[in-house]
Amino acid sequence: MTQYHPLTEQEAIEYARTIPGLFKSGAALSSREIGDGNLNLVFHISDSETGTSIILKQALPYAKVVGESWPLSLDRARIESEALQIEGALCPDLVPRVYKYDADLALTVMEDLSDHIIMRKGLIERRVYPEFAGHIGRFLAHTLFFTSDLGMNQQDKKLRLAQFINPDLCKITEDLIFNHPYTDADTNSFDAAIRDEVEAIWSDSELHLEVARLRHGFLTHAQALLHGDLHTGSIFVTETSTKVIDPEFAYYGPMGFDIGAVIANLLLNFAGQEGWSPDAESRSKYREYLLQTAKDVWTTFEAEFRSLWNDSGIDRISRTEGFQSIYVEQLMRDTIGYAGCKIVRRVIGLAHVSDIDTIPDAASKERAQRLALSIGKALIKHHRNAVSFDELIEIATKFAR
Ligand code: SR1
Ligand code: MG
């Protein structure tokens, strides 16, 4: 089974049996392909007698969401498994354990997190995750700091950058986030009801100029090893645990892109509450929770990042008085700008989010889409002038009134 081919459910069982120390020989294993993402196969293999289970994630040589007409490198499976191992060394409690990576089959064998749920689903059900902001703020601070020139040997960092050259997946982001939503591209997908707003975005040159700046940062600012796709569908949660999965888009890019992704997805759910909250009072209460979480993510990130800088910074010159604040303020502005881009693409572009797309009532869905676009555009246009993260909260609050 060593030559690359997409596994069947039965072959996934046979493969799982070959991994030492997991299943007893002769165990009655069951296999289900459960991948609901855009790119890969995901097999859940379990032994109902012992309760042991694992996940086999296999990259396909094309984008599953579009088909074989969109080829994609299988190297993303290596990138994902290596990124998971780096993240696991820095934040062992916040990522799944990797048991094995098989380069020939572009396959990663990892811990099953079925006792958690995908955070996007939890937020649609209007659940509350009290530990999430602290966990993800720490994940962001540690993974970004210790893979940057601030926290690791600067020559080793250059070699690590080479290890994470990820052109196919970066191109998806460059096109689907930073280009296509701003023009009449074939890949776009949006409801006819909001065509007026979408056409206004296509002709908004002030907006395009800011997106061009942010895209340039994504292309050129090799600041830290990013997760690269840190939305709430890439995060498993319980009330007490957070696990980040799916770093196949990992590459060296601007830190604010990862922080902004988390914030954007909280705001997409904030907009989606047009359709999920039963009444105005509970909508406003859940939205307060989402905004407080967004603020806590930033505040935790900033505090942890500054303390890592003070305690574990690797060079003298970066400790020069004032430099840390200049750096962190720029991160805050980047975070706001990238959050805006991540919101707009999920309403107009190829890949949407269920927080908005699955709202059953058409009028509520349209309100949610328009609200998301208003917030996204305002964040993009304002990001370079922001002096405090609170301005993001004020923008979301203003448009939701
Ligand atoms: C063709 S892939 C579309 C999207 O799915 C992934 O989760 C990324 O967000 C990507 O942009
Ligand atoms: Mg993914």
Side-chain angles (χ1 to χ4, degrees):
M1 219 195 291
T2 54
Q3 192 164 5
Y4 180 83
H5 63 285
L7 296 185
T8 63
E9 289 182 340
Q10 187 53 39
E11 285 175 317
I13 290 184
E14 286 158 28
Y15 190 90
R17 289 192 195 285
T18 68
I19 302 164
L22 280 178
F23 298 109
K24 284 198 214 128
S25 75
L29 300 185
S30 59
S31 167
R32 271 182 315 130
E33 201 283 303
I34 55 167
D36 62 354
N38 294 322
L39 302 178
N40 307 293
L41 296 176
V42 180
F43 298 95
H44 180 263
I45 313 286
S46 60
D47 175 353
S48 57
E49 211 178 288
T50 60
T52 310
S53 56
I54 54 165
I55 292 293
L56 262 61
K57 178 170 177 184
Q58 186 180 34
L60 289 167
Y62 53 86
K64 192 169 80 177
V65 65
V66 175
E68 296 188 26
S69 61
W70 189 334
L72 278 185
S73 159
L74 295 174
D75 190 43
R76 69 184 191 276
R78 174 192 65 80
I79 287 190
E80 172 164 348
S81 68
E82 291 178 3
L84 273 176
Q85 287 172 46
I86 291 170
E87 292 164 356
L90 294 169
C91 305
D93 57 325
L94 299 178
V95 293
R97 265 172 294 147
V98 174
Y99 300 127
K100 180 176 177 178
Y101 164 63
D102 183 324
D104 295 325
L105 287 172
L107 183 82
T108 307
V109 183
M110 65 186 110
E111 184 183 3
D112 175 27
L113 299 170
S114 300
D115 54 336
H116 291 59
I117 69 166
I118 284 292
M119 185 170 183
R120 188 181 305 292
K121 187 165 181 288
L123 294 182
I124 290 172
E125 292 169 5
R126 307 175 61 257
R127 298 196 203 186
V128 166
Y129 297 105
E131 305 292 334
F132 169 73
H135 288 160
I136 206 74
R138 172 163 58 87
F139 176 86
L140 289 163
H142 284 250
T143 58
L144 298 176
F145 181 83
F146 283 114
T147 61
S148 77
D149 289 299
L150 300 167
M152 76 180 283
N153 174 282
Q154 292 154 2
Q155 275 53 54
D156 291 343
K157 182 240 178 183
K158 292 171 180 67
L159 297 175
R160 185 168 279 176
L161 191 157
Q163 179 189 344
F164 285 97
I165 297 291
N166 196 354
D168 284 15
L169 285 274
C170 284
K171 175 148 177 61
I172 291 178
T173 301
E174 290 150 22
D175 290 346
L176 296 189
I177 299 183
F178 295 114
N179 184 4
H180 295 181
Y182 304 95
T183 187
D184 187 3
D186 287 346
T187 54
N188 286 337
S189 162
F190 55 86
D191 285 356
I194 59 162
R195 175 164 274 276
D196 60 318
E197 180 54 41
V198 173
E199 287 183 352
I201 286 175
W202 289 345
S203 61
D204 187 339
S205 50
E206 181 198 343
L207 185 69
H208 296 184
L209 184 57
E210 296 306 323
V211 173
R213 286 176 185 270
L214 289 158
R215 185 173 189 269
H216 185 68
F218 182 86
L219 288 165
T220 61
H221 197 19
Q223 204 171 18
L225 179 63
L226 306 189
H227 176 285
D229 196 23
L230 196 46
H231 55 81
T232 46
S234 296
I235 303 173
F236 270 112
V237 280
T238 69
E239 279 189 9
T240 54
S241 167
T242 303
K243 302 276 185 184
V244 174
I245 60 166
D246 271 6
E248 66 197 313
F249 283 74
Y251 90 113
Y252 262 82
M255 297 180 182
F257 186 78
D258 267 5
I259 314 166
V262 175
I263 304 294
N265 280 270
L266 294 168
L267 294 179
L268 283 159
N269 187 271
F270 175 97
Q273 290 307 320
E274 288 298 322
W276 301 119
S277 296
D279 53 64
E281 197 187 326
S282 47
R283 178 176 306 121
S284 140
K285 203 161 162 234
Y286 197 69
R287 280 183 170 160
E288 265 174 42
Y289 157 70
L290 291 167
L291 292 186
Q292 187 59 48
T293 302
K295 177 147 170 105
D296 291 347
V297 170
W298 172 258
T299 309
T300 308
F301 165 77
E302 180 179 355
E304 293 252 354
F305 191 83
R306 284 182 182 273
S307 114
L308 292 174
W309 188 312
N310 295 337
D311 300 342
S312 309
I314 62 140
D315 68 26
R316 185 191 61 80
I317 196 78
S318 68
R319 281 193 289 273
T320 302
E321 180 65 28
F323 181 53
Q324 185 186 106
S325 287
I326 291 170
Y327 193 106
V328 170
E329 282 157 24
Q330 184 58 45
L331 282 188
M332 182 268 296
R333 290 190 285 271
D334 289 353
T335 295
I336 293 176
Y338 286 121
C341 296
K342 292 275 203 172
I343 292 172
V344 171
R345 65 81 57 117
R346 293 294 188 188
V347 181
I348 300 181
L350 174 81
H352 288 204
V353 289
S354 49
D355 315 54
I356 292 181
D357 263 30
T358 62
I359 294 174
D361 174 60
S364 310
K365 185 175 171 188
E366 181 180 338
R367 281 200 308 278
Q369 289 171 331
R370 289 184 186 275
L371 174 57
L373 289 177
S374 299
I375 295 171
K377 279 190 310 182
L379 296 180
I380 294 169
K381 286 185 178 178
H382 184 64
H383 81 281
R384 282 187 303 120
N385 298 319
V387 291
S388 153
F389 187 80
D390 287 344
E391 289 161 48
L392 175 141
I393 308 293
E394 284 156 21
I395 285 171
T397 308
K398 177 179 94 182
F399 285 109
R401 258 184 222 129

